């Protein structure tokens, strides 16, 4: 009888483990984690830029999404990515700068350093400098380097707007 109870307990435990493998409940700390939605929004431009093509890339260079800035030079997109895909990089090309009525002179970039439910990632000259600086810091484009680079760019290239200096031109809702 004792042998029967031990076998029943083993079978029950094995069934429990197997059922855990078949559910959608997976520890997000596992390699790659679960793909989660991140609603990313922001503004585009040195002057407001409408109709700009915005591309979102994972840290391995894989394109995750593409869209255009709207008539208010803003964008909003939901990106589904594993935590291992971060930091995400955003690139903006083309469109029309409403101040000059011309296409921007250079590609604007930004980043989403960490996963989150709602993230602001503005694309402007300040964010472009911050992304370039983060890529050159020891360790490359990591979440910490993006945040440090944004602080350095905000302090050194002061925009004159204290709100942007305190929270950063890349992540402040505009």
């Amino acid at each position: 009888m004792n042998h029967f109870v031990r076998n029943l307990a083993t079978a029950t435990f094995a069934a429990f483990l197997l059922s855990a493998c078949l559910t959608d409940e997976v520890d997000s700390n596992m390699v790659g984690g679960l793909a989660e939605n991140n609603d990313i929004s922001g503004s585009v431009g040195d002057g407001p830029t409408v109709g700009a093509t915005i591309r979102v890339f994972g840290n391995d260079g894989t394109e995750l999404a593409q869209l255009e800035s709207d008539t208010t030079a803003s964008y909003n997109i939901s990106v589904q990515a594993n935590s291992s895909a971060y930091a995400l990089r955003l690139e903006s090309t083309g469109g029309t700068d409403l101040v000059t009525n011309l296409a921007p002179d250079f590609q604007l970039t930004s980043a989403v350093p960490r996963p989150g439910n709602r993230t602001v990632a503005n694309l402007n000259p300040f964010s472009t400098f911050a992304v370039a600086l983060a890529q050159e810091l020891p360790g490359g484009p990591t979440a910490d380097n993006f945040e440090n680079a944004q602080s350095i760019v905000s302090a050194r290239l002061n925009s004159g707007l204290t709100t942007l200096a305190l929270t950063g031109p890349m992540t402040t809702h505009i």
Side-chain angles (χ1 to χ4, degrees):
M1 183 77 156
N2 192 14
H3 180 66
F4 173 76
V5 172
R6 185 177 57 210
N7 287 343
L8 181 61
T10 302
T12 303
F13 183 70
F16 173 76
L17 288 177
L18 182 59
S19 69
C21 292
L22 296 175
T23 67
D24 289 336
E25 295 178 23
V26 178
D27 183 1
S28 63
N29 293 323
M30 292 176 65
V31 176
L34 287 176
E36 296 183 25
N37 282 337
N38 187 348
D39 293 330
I40 305 169
S41 62
S43 65
V44 182
D46 188 8
T49 304
V50 300
T53 300
I54 302 166
R55 297 170 63 197
V56 181
F57 298 92
N59 63 9
D60 66 354
T62 302
E63 185 173 324
L64 303 175
Q66 183 174 323
L67 71 152
E68 282 192 6
S69 59
D70 63 20
T71 58
T72 63
S74 298
Y75 75 94
N76 188 0
I77 188 168
S78 184
V79 174
Q80 190 172 34
N82 294 337
S83 59
S84 63
Y86 287 81
L88 304 181
R89 188 181 80 254
L90 291 83
E91 296 178 356
S92 171
T93 55
T96 303
D97 182 323
L98 296 179
V99 174
T100 64
N101 208 31
L102 301 170
D105 291 328
F106 55 93
Q107 176 179 297
L108 299 171
T109 59
S110 188
V112 177
R114 302 179 196 290
N117 292 331
R118 294 190 178 282
T119 305
V120 173
N122 298 312
L123 293 117
N124 55 51
F126 291 101
S127 67
T128 301
F129 284 125
V131 169
L133 177 58
Q135 291 171 335
E136 297 300 319
L137 291 174
T142 65
D144 289 340
N145 280 350
F146 279 120
E147 291 165 0
N148 290 336
Q150 181 177 218
S151 294
I152 292 167
V153 167
S154 295
R156 303 279 191 220
L157 303 176
N158 184 352
S159 68
L161 300 173
T162 55
T163 305
L164 292 179
L166 294 175
T167 58
M170 191 161 53
T171 55
T172 299
H173 182 60
I174 298 177

